[in-house]
Amino acid sequence: MTENPVTISRFAYYYDALSLILLKGVKHLPVMEDSKVAGIVTLSDLLRRKNENVMKTVQKIEKADRDSLPQIKTGIYDIIDSLIRDRVPIFKMLKIITKLYDRLAGRIIALSISELKRFAAAMRICFLSNGLKRTWRTVNAHRSGPFPGL
């Protein structure tokens, strides 16, 4: 059992729960009432109830390959439209969209590292982006790729 789990009040708004799940990276969010667990909510519960587009976009990000990356943009734009229609406060909207873009950037980095492993020799690389922490990795690859001198 997790010590000091992330929880939410039974009286919190839908997007408060969605933001907590996305920002804290939890899979199950205990719902509290009078210091007691009143239930548990998951990302699937929230998205099924409100908007399947978010869930589909998150799944597309996690499974994206080089060819399917451009399709994710449309999904994120649909989510933004939905958040605006639902009159979600801008600060919460920005948190949700930032988390989606961070996941997307993480997937792009993973795909890039995979490509580098196929074609480059061992090297240190760095990916920097606003909102993302610096990521240093050493990519070990064979030297018979198109860049054998690296």
Side-chain angles (χ1 to χ4, degrees), residues 19-30:
S19 294
L20 271 175
I21 287 174
L22 289 174
L23 294 173
K24 299 293 183 177
V26 296
K27 296 181 190 256
H28 301 92
L29 185 62

Side-chain angles (χ1 to χ4, degrees), residues 64-126:
D65 61 15
R66 189 177 191 175
D67 297 328
S68 64
L69 281 172
Q71 299 166 0
I72 294 170
K73 179 176 77 171
T74 304
I76 291 176
Y77 288 169
D78 290 343
I79 292 168
I80 293 169
D81 287 341
S82 175
L83 294 172
I84 291 170
R85 272 194 312 272
D86 290 344
R87 299 182 189 269
V88 174
I90 190 68
F91 185 70
K92 292 191 183 300
M93 187 185 320
L94 289 173
K95 280 185 174 182
I96 292 167
I97 298 304
T98 298
K99 187 64 178 178
L100 287 171
Y101 275 117
D102 285 350
R103 281 187 174 201
L104 179 59
R107 183 64 185 149
I108 291 168
I109 290 170
L111 290 170
S112 299
I113 289 172
S114 178
E115 286 287 316
L116 286 172
K117 283 182 179 179
R118 286 185 18 196
F119 299 112
M123 67 181 84
R124 285 183 64 90
I125 56 174
C126 176

Side-chain angles (χ1 to χ4, degrees), residues 12-80:
Y13 291 103
Y14 167 83
Y15 286 102
D16 291 329
L18 183 61
S19 294
L20 271 175
I21 287 174
L22 289 174
L23 294 173
K24 299 293 183 177
V26 296
K27 296 181 190 256
H28 301 92
L29 185 62
V31 179
M32 305 299 287
E33 183 176 14
D34 297 327
S35 301
K36 295 180 182 175
V37 176
I40 292 185
V41 67
T42 66
L43 180 61
S44 297
D45 295 334
L46 293 172
L47 298 177
R48 254 194 314 270
R49 182 178 173 268
K50 191 69 174 175
N51 188 346
E52 286 188 14
N53 286 339
V54 176
M55 180 181 265
K56 288 178 183 176
T57 301
V58 169
Q59 289 173 343
K60 283 181 185 176
I61 290 171
E62 300 300 325
K63 295 177 181 178
D65 61 15
R66 189 177 191 175
D67 297 328
S68 64
L69 281 172
Q71 299 166 0
I72 294 170
K73 179 176 77 171
T74 304
I76 291 176
Y77 288 169
D78 290 343
I79 292 168
I80 293 169

